[in-house]
Short mmCIF file of all heavy atoms in Angstrom, two decimals:
data_model
loop_
_atom_site.label_atom_id
_atom_site.label_comp_id
_atom_site.label_asym_id
_atom_site.label_seq_id
_atom_site.Cartn_x
_atom_site.Cartn_y
_atom_site.Cartn_z
N ALA L 1 0.96 -1.14 -0.06
CA ALA L 1 0.04 0.02 -0.04
C ALA L 1 0.86 1.22 -0.06
O ALA L 1 1.98 1.22 0.52
CB ALA L 1 -0.97 0.07 1.26
N ASN L 2 0.35 2.25 -0.51
CA ASN L 2 0.97 3.53 -0.40
C ASN L 2 0.08 4.78 -0.18
O ASN L 2 -1.15 4.52 -0.45
CB ASN L 2 1.94 3.86 -1.54
CG ASN L 2 1.37 4.04 -2.92
OD1 ASN L 2 0.10 4.11 -3.02
ND2 ASN L 2 2.19 3.84 -3.93
N ILE L 3 0.53 5.86 0.13
CA ILE L 3 -0.40 7.03 0.49
C ILE L 3 0.37 8.30 0.08
O ILE L 3 1.53 8.44 0.52
CB ILE L 3 -0.94 6.92 1.91
CG1 ILE L 3 -1.97 8.04 2.19
CG2 ILE L 3 0.26 6.97 2.86
CD1 ILE L 3 -2.58 7.87 3.58
N ASN L 4 -0.34 9.24 -0.50
CA ASN L 4 0.42 10.39 -0.83
C ASN L 4 0.09 11.58 0.14
O ASN L 4 -0.67 11.34 1.19
CB ASN L 4 -0.01 10.86 -2.27
CG ASN L 4 -1.52 11.30 -2.38
OD1 ASN L 4 -2.26 11.42 -1.31
ND2 ASN L 4 -2.05 11.43 -3.70
N ILE L 5 0.63 12.73 0.03
CA ILE L 5 0.49 13.73 0.90
C ILE L 5 -0.86 14.15 1.11
O ILE L 5 -1.31 14.41 2.35
CB ILE L 5 1.23 15.04 0.45
CG1 ILE L 5 2.76 14.75 0.54
CG2 ILE L 5 0.83 16.23 1.26
CD1 ILE L 5 3.32 14.61 1.99
N GLY L 6 -1.81 14.08 0.18
CA GLY L 6 -3.23 14.49 0.31
C GLY L 6 -4.03 13.42 1.00
O GLY L 6 -5.19 13.60 1.19
N GLY L 7 -3.57 12.15 1.27
CA GLY L 7 -4.25 11.17 1.90
C GLY L 7 -4.68 10.08 0.95
O GLY L 7 -5.58 9.21 1.50
N THR L 8 -4.55 10.17 -0.25
CA THR L 8 -4.99 9.12 -1.15
C THR L 8 -4.23 7.93 -1.14
O THR L 8 -3.08 7.93 -1.28
CB THR L 8 -5.02 9.72 -2.69
OG1 THR L 8 -5.93 10.82 -2.76
CG2 THR L 8 -5.52 8.55 -3.62
N ALA L 9 -4.99 6.83 -0.91
CA ALA L 9 -4.21 5.43 -0.65
C ALA L 9 -4.48 4.52 -1.80
O ALA L 9 -5.48 4.53 -2.38
CB ALA L 9 -4.61 4.88 0.62
N ASN L 10 -3.52 3.69 -1.99
CA ASN L 10 -3.61 2.62 -2.97
C ASN L 10 -3.22 1.27 -2.42
O ASN L 10 -2.32 1.29 -1.42
CB ASN L 10 -2.69 2.75 -4.14
CG ASN L 10 -3.00 4.03 -5.03
OD1 ASN L 10 -4.00 4.10 -5.66
ND2 ASN L 10 -2.17 5.02 -4.93
N TYR L 11 -3.84 0.18 -2.67
CA TYR L 11 -3.70 -1.09 -2.04
C TYR L 11 -3.59 -2.22 -3.03
O TYR L 11 -4.12 -2.13 -4.14
CB TYR L 11 -4.91 -1.50 -1.18
CG TYR L 11 -5.05 -0.54 0.01
CD1 TYR L 11 -5.99 0.51 -0.08
CD2 TYR L 11 -4.47 -0.77 1.18
CE1 TYR L 11 -6.23 1.35 0.88
CE2 TYR L 11 -4.61 0.08 2.27
CZ TYR L 11 -5.49 1.10 2.14
OH TYR L 11 -5.70 2.01 3.12
N ALA L 12 -2.68 -3.15 -2.71
CA ALA L 12 -2.56 -4.33 -3.61
C ALA L 12 -3.83 -5.10 -3.43
O ALA L 12 -4.54 -5.16 -2.37
CB ALA L 12 -1.43 -5.26 -3.08
N PRO L 13 -4.41 -5.74 -4.60
CA PRO L 13 -5.67 -6.56 -4.47
C PRO L 13 -5.67 -7.48 -3.27
O PRO L 13 -6.78 -7.76 -2.77
CB PRO L 13 -5.78 -7.14 -5.71
CG PRO L 13 -4.87 -6.31 -6.77
CD PRO L 13 -3.77 -5.92 -5.92
N SER L 14 -4.53 -8.18 -2.94
CA SER L 14 -4.60 -9.15 -1.89
C SER L 14 -4.78 -8.66 -0.51
O SER L 14 -5.13 -9.41 0.32
CB SER L 14 -3.10 -9.92 -2.13
OG SER L 14 -2.08 -9.03 -1.85
N VAL L 15 -4.55 -7.37 -0.32
CA VAL L 15 -4.87 -6.74 0.97
C VAL L 15 -5.95 -5.92 1.13
O VAL L 15 -6.27 -5.48 2.29
CB VAL L 15 -3.40 -6.12 1.55
CG1 VAL L 15 -2.21 -7.00 1.42
CG2 VAL L 15 -3.20 -4.88 0.73
N ARG L 16 -6.52 -5.45 -0.02
CA ARG L 16 -7.58 -4.46 0.06
C ARG L 16 -8.77 -4.99 0.83
O ARG L 16 -9.10 -6.04 0.77
CB ARG L 16 -8.08 -4.16 -1.35
CG ARG L 16 -9.05 -3.05 -1.38
CD ARG L 16 -9.35 -2.68 -2.90
NE ARG L 16 -8.26 -2.05 -3.63
CZ ARG L 16 -7.55 -2.65 -4.75
NH1 ARG L 16 -8.02 -3.80 -5.10
NH2 ARG L 16 -6.54 -2.15 -5.24
N GLY L 17 -9.17 -4.19 1.73
CA GLY L 17 -10.27 -4.60 2.65
C GLY L 17 -9.80 -5.11 3.92
O GLY L 17 -10.56 -5.33 4.95
N ARG L 18 -8.57 -5.50 4.08
CA ARG L 18 -7.91 -5.96 5.25
C ARG L 18 -6.96 -5.03 5.90
O ARG L 18 -6.78 -5.06 7.09
CB ARG L 18 -7.31 -7.48 4.95
CG ARG L 18 -8.16 -8.43 4.50
CD ARG L 18 -7.65 -9.80 4.38
NE ARG L 18 -6.51 -9.86 3.53
CZ ARG L 18 -5.16 -10.21 3.84
NH1 ARG L 18 -4.92 -10.47 5.05
NH2 ARG L 18 -4.20 -9.98 2.90
N PHE L 19 -6.22 -4.38 5.03
CA PHE L 19 -5.15 -3.45 5.60
C PHE L 19 -5.64 -2.13 5.34
O PHE L 19 -6.30 -1.75 4.45
CB PHE L 19 -3.80 -3.73 4.85
CG PHE L 19 -3.16 -5.09 5.15
CD1 PHE L 19 -3.83 -6.04 5.80
CD2 PHE L 19 -1.93 -5.26 4.53
CE1 PHE L 19 -3.18 -7.28 5.95
CE2 PHE L 19 -1.24 -6.55 4.70
CZ PHE L 19 -1.88 -7.49 5.45
N THR L 20 -5.21 -1.24 6.34
CA THR L 20 -5.35 0.26 6.08
C THR L 20 -4.08 0.94 6.34
O THR L 20 -3.45 0.79 7.32
CB THR L 20 -6.37 0.73 7.18
OG1 THR L 20 -7.66 0.00 6.87
CG2 THR L 20 -6.66 2.18 7.00
N ILE L 21 -3.68 1.87 5.38
CA ILE L 21 -2.50 2.58 5.60
C ILE L 21 -2.89 4.09 6.00
O ILE L 21 -4.02 4.55 5.46
CB ILE L 21 -1.73 2.64 4.23
CG1 ILE L 21 -0.45 3.33 4.44
CG2 ILE L 21 -2.46 3.34 3.12
CD1 ILE L 21 0.61 3.31 3.35
N SER L 22 -2.15 4.66 6.84
CA SER L 22 -2.44 6.10 7.28
C SER L 22 -1.16 6.84 7.46
O SER L 22 -0.12 6.14 7.62
CB SER L 22 -3.26 6.15 8.45
OG SER L 22 -2.65 5.33 9.53
N ARG L 23 -1.18 8.02 7.61
CA ARG L 23 0.10 8.79 7.89
C ARG L 23 -0.15 10.05 8.66
O ARG L 23 -1.30 10.57 8.73
CB ARG L 23 0.78 9.14 6.54
CG ARG L 23 0.09 10.29 5.65
CD ARG L 23 0.67 10.49 4.28
NE ARG L 23 2.06 11.06 4.54
CZ ARG L 23 3.00 11.13 3.43
NH1 ARG L 23 2.52 10.67 2.19
NH2 ARG L 23 4.06 11.77 3.60
N ASP L 24 0.76 10.46 9.41
CA ASP L 24 0.72 11.66 10.13
C ASP L 24 1.98 12.48 9.74
O ASP L 24 3.10 12.32 10.12
CB ASP L 24 0.87 11.45 11.59
CG ASP L 24 0.67 12.57 12.63
OD1 ASP L 24 0.97 13.74 12.17
OD2 ASP L 24 0.09 12.49 13.69
N ASN L 25 1.62 13.58 8.97
CA ASN L 25 2.75 14.42 8.34
C ASN L 25 3.40 15.19 9.39
O ASN L 25 4.57 15.38 9.20
CB ASN L 25 2.03 15.29 7.25
CG ASN L 25 1.60 14.57 6.03
OD1 ASN L 25 2.06 13.52 5.68
ND2 ASN L 25 0.58 15.12 5.37
N GLU L 26 2.75 15.57 10.38
CA GLU L 26 3.40 16.39 11.50
C GLU L 26 4.40 15.53 12.20
O GLU L 26 5.40 16.01 12.53
CB GLU L 26 2.37 16.93 12.46
CG GLU L 26 2.86 17.86 13.45
CD GLU L 26 1.77 18.48 14.38
OE1 GLU L 26 0.59 18.20 14.13
OE2 GLU L 26 2.09 19.08 15.38
N LYS L 27 4.09 14.28 12.38
CA LYS L 27 4.91 13.32 13.25
C LYS L 27 5.93 12.64 12.33
O LYS L 27 6.69 11.88 12.81
CB LYS L 27 4.16 12.52 13.93
CG LYS L 27 3.31 13.12 15.12
CD LYS L 27 2.47 12.02 15.88
CE LYS L 27 1.74 12.64 17.06
NZ LYS L 27 1.05 11.61 17.85
N ASN L 28 5.77 12.82 11.01
CA ASN L 28 6.54 12.16 10.07
C ASN L 28 6.53 10.66 10.11
O ASN L 28 7.62 10.04 10.22
CB ASN L 28 8.00 12.69 10.15
CG ASN L 28 8.12 14.23 9.89
OD1 ASN L 28 7.55 14.72 9.07
ND2 ASN L 28 8.87 14.81 10.81
N MET L 29 5.34 10.10 10.27
CA MET L 29 5.12 8.67 10.45
C MET L 29 4.06 8.11 9.44
O MET L 29 3.06 8.85 9.11
CB MET L 29 4.80 8.41 11.93
CG MET L 29 5.85 8.80 12.99
SD MET L 29 5.44 8.12 14.52
CE MET L 29 5.79 6.33 14.28
N VAL L 30 4.27 6.87 9.14
CA VAL L 30 3.28 6.18 8.39
C VAL L 30 2.88 4.94 9.04
O VAL L 30 3.70 4.28 9.53
CB VAL L 30 3.70 5.99 6.96
CG1 VAL L 30 4.94 5.13 6.82
CG2 VAL L 30 2.60 5.35 6.06
N TYR L 31 1.67 4.50 8.95
CA TYR L 31 1.34 3.18 9.72
C TYR L 31 0.54 2.27 8.74
O TYR L 31 0.00 2.66 7.65
CB TYR L 31 0.31 3.57 10.84
CG TYR L 31 0.69 4.73 11.67
CD1 TYR L 31 0.50 6.04 11.46
CD2 TYR L 31 1.49 4.40 12.85
CE1 TYR L 31 0.82 7.06 12.26
CE2 TYR L 31 1.94 5.52 13.67
CZ TYR L 31 1.53 6.75 13.38
OH TYR L 31 1.97 7.74 14.24
N LEU L 32 0.56 0.96 9.09
CA LEU L 32 -0.14 0.10 8.33
C LEU L 32 -0.90 -0.90 9.37
O LEU L 32 -0.22 -1.66 10.16
CB LEU L 32 0.71 -0.89 7.48
CG LEU L 32 0.14 -1.87 6.63
CD1 LEU L 32 -0.66 -1.14 5.49
CD2 LEU L 32 1.07 -2.78 5.95
N GLN L 33 -2.13 -0.80 9.43
CA GLN L 33 -3.11 -1.53 10.26
C GLN L 33 -3.36 -2.81 9.47
O GLN L 33 -3.96 -2.73 8.32
CB GLN L 33 -4.27 -0.84 10.75
CG GLN L 33 -5.31 -1.72 11.41
CD GLN L 33 -4.70 -2.09 12.80
OE1 GLN L 33 -4.13 -1.22 13.53
NE2 GLN L 33 -4.76 -3.29 13.23
N MET L 34 -3.12 -3.96 9.98
CA MET L 34 -3.20 -5.27 9.35
C MET L 34 -4.20 -6.16 9.99
O MET L 34 -3.89 -6.59 11.22
CB MET L 34 -1.81 -6.01 9.12
CG MET L 34 -0.79 -5.14 8.57
SD MET L 34 0.85 -5.70 8.83
CE MET L 34 0.84 -7.17 7.70
N ASN L 35 -5.39 -6.44 9.37
CA ASN L 35 -6.27 -7.23 10.13
C ASN L 35 -6.56 -8.52 9.25
O ASN L 35 -6.21 -8.55 8.01
CB ASN L 35 -7.71 -6.49 10.20
CG ASN L 35 -7.57 -5.25 11.05
OD1 ASN L 35 -6.78 -5.17 11.99
ND2 ASN L 35 -8.25 -4.20 10.65
N SER L 36 -7.14 -9.46 9.88
CA SER L 36 -7.50 -10.76 9.21
C SER L 36 -6.28 -11.36 8.48
O SER L 36 -6.27 -11.77 7.35
CB SER L 36 -8.62 -10.53 8.14
OG SER L 36 -9.79 -10.00 8.86
N LEU L 37 -5.23 -11.44 9.28
CA LEU L 37 -3.90 -11.80 8.79
C LEU L 37 -3.97 -13.32 8.21
O LEU L 37 -4.63 -14.20 8.93
CB LEU L 37 -2.80 -11.68 9.55
CG LEU L 37 -2.41 -10.12 9.73
CD1 LEU L 37 -1.58 -9.87 11.03
CD2 LEU L 37 -1.53 -9.72 8.53
N ARG L 38 -3.28 -13.60 7.18
CA ARG L 38 -3.22 -14.92 6.68
C ARG L 38 -1.78 -15.43 6.54
O ARG L 38 -0.86 -14.64 6.46
CB ARG L 38 -3.79 -14.94 5.19
CG ARG L 38 -5.23 -14.40 5.06
CD ARG L 38 -5.60 -14.08 3.63
NE ARG L 38 -6.94 -13.49 3.55
CZ ARG L 38 -7.44 -13.02 2.41
NH1 ARG L 38 -6.76 -13.03 1.29
NH2 ARG L 38 -8.72 -12.54 2.40
N PRO L 39 -1.54 -16.71 6.51
CA PRO L 39 -0.10 -17.27 6.39
C PRO L 39 0.50 -16.60 5.23
O PRO L 39 1.83 -16.38 5.27
CB PRO L 39 -0.31 -18.75 6.16
CG PRO L 39 -1.68 -19.01 6.93
CD PRO L 39 -2.51 -17.84 6.69
N GLU L 40 -0.13 -16.40 4.04
CA GLU L 40 0.60 -15.85 2.88
C GLU L 40 0.89 -14.37 3.14
O GLU L 40 1.55 -13.78 2.18
CB GLU L 40 -0.43 -15.93 1.62
CG GLU L 40 -1.74 -15.43 1.84
CD GLU L 40 -2.82 -16.56 2.14
OE1 GLU L 40 -2.49 -17.46 2.98
OE2 GLU L 40 -3.82 -16.57 1.69
N ASP L 41 0.51 -13.72 4.17
CA ASP L 41 0.97 -12.36 4.39
C ASP L 41 2.42 -12.39 5.12
O ASP L 41 2.98 -11.36 5.25
CB ASP L 41 0.00 -11.66 5.38
CG ASP L 41 -1.26 -11.37 4.80
OD1 ASP L 41 -1.28 -11.02 3.63
OD2 ASP L 41 -2.37 -11.56 5.49
N THR L 42 2.88 -13.48 5.38
CA THR L 42 4.15 -13.65 6.01
C THR L 42 5.26 -13.23 5.18
O THR L 42 5.28 -13.61 4.02
CB THR L 42 4.45 -15.25 6.47
OG1 THR L 42 3.58 -15.66 7.38
CG2 THR L 42 5.97 -15.28 6.94
#
């Protein structure tokens, strides 16, 4: 997944609906919330 300065995110089909990317520009951080994890996510 990636996310631009404006907050627009893109996801790989295999993770769409399960993962969420977000960022905090003030803190200079990016996050990836990963739910419903599968062995193939290893």
Side-chain angles (χ1 to χ4, degrees):
N2 61 20
I3 183 169
N4 66 14
I5 290 292
T8 300
N10 298 289
Y11 297 92
S14 60
V15 308
R16 188 174 293 114
R18 299 187 298 122
F19 294 6
T20 302
I21 189 171
S22 61
R23 68 188 294 173
D24 187 327
N25 292 331
E26 183 177 354
K27 295 181 179 180
N28 302 314
M29 297 191 70
V30 63
Y31 309 92
L32 186 68
Q33 179 66 46
M34 310 166 68
N35 299 325
S36 302
L37 284 163
R38 305 165 180 170
E40 51 264 41
D41 294 319
T42 297

